[in-house]
Amino acid sequence: MSKHYSIEKIQEIAGGDEDFMAVVAQTFLDEIPPDLEALQEAVSNNNKELAYQFAHKMKPNFEMFGVEINKEILAIESWTKTSKKQSAIESKLETVVTTVKEVIKELKEDFNL
C-alpha cells in the first residue's frame, strides 16, 4: 500500500539525520491538525480571508512531505477570491481533510510518534 506522503524531500533536507527527520515529522503533527481544523471552520463560516491564510500557511508543509493535494489547496485559495458559496469548495476541502488525516496516521506509525 502506498503512502499519502513522500519521505524523499525530508531525507534530502535532513541529510539522512533520523533525529532531525523525527523532529520535522513531530512539527508537522503539532502544527497541521489545528491549522486544518481552523481551515475547516473558516470555510464553514465563509470566512474567506482566514481560509486563505490557513490554506496558504499549510501549503509548504504539504509540499515538503510530498502530500499530493496542491491542486486542492490552490482551489481553496482561488475560492477565497470569489463570491462562490462554501458548497463550491466542499469536495476539495474534504479531499484535503481525508488525505491529511491519513498522512498524520502514517507519520505517527513511521516515526513512532
Side-chain angles (χ1 to χ4, degrees):
M1 185 170 118
S2 67
K3 300 275 183 201
H4 290 86
Y5 78 96
S6 170
I7 196 103
E8 282 79 24
K9 284 188 180 180
I10 305 160
Q11 287 174 326
E12 186 179 320
I13 292 166
D17 183 339
E18 297 286 331
D19 291 337
F20 180 73
M21 289 170 55
V23 168
V24 172
Q26 185 61 58
T27 302
F28 183 97
L29 294 173
D30 291 343
E31 292 180 6
I32 294 301
D35 288 350
L36 184 63
E37 191 173 310
L39 173 63
Q40 289 176 277
E41 189 174 317
V43 170
S44 71
N45 292 331
N46 205 33
N47 185 337
K48 293 183 177 186
E49 184 177 326
L50 199 55
Y52 179 87
Q53 289 173 1
F54 280 105
H56 192 72
K57 178 183 176 192
M58 292 186 290
K59 196 166 38 173
N61 287 300
F62 298 149
E63 290 171 1
M64 181 169 53
F65 279 86
V67 182
E68 295 190 10
I69 52 174
N70 197 40
K71 65 181 181 206
E72 286 82 4
I73 292 294
L74 290 173
I76 292 169
E77 287 179 334
S78 295
W79 166 79
T80 66
K81 307 296 184 203
T82 71
S83 60
K84 294 179 181 174
K85 296 185 189 244
Q86 301 96 303
S87 58
I89 203 65
E90 283 174 352
S91 68
K92 301 288 187 197
L93 180 60
E94 187 56 39
T95 298
V96 169
V97 170
T98 303
T99 303
V100 172
K101 284 182 178 180
E102 285 297 318
V103 170
I104 289 167
K105 186 174 127 196
E106 291 168 1
L107 285 173
K108 285 179 179 179
E109 289 172 2
D110 293 349
F111 289 92
N112 296 313
L113 299 172

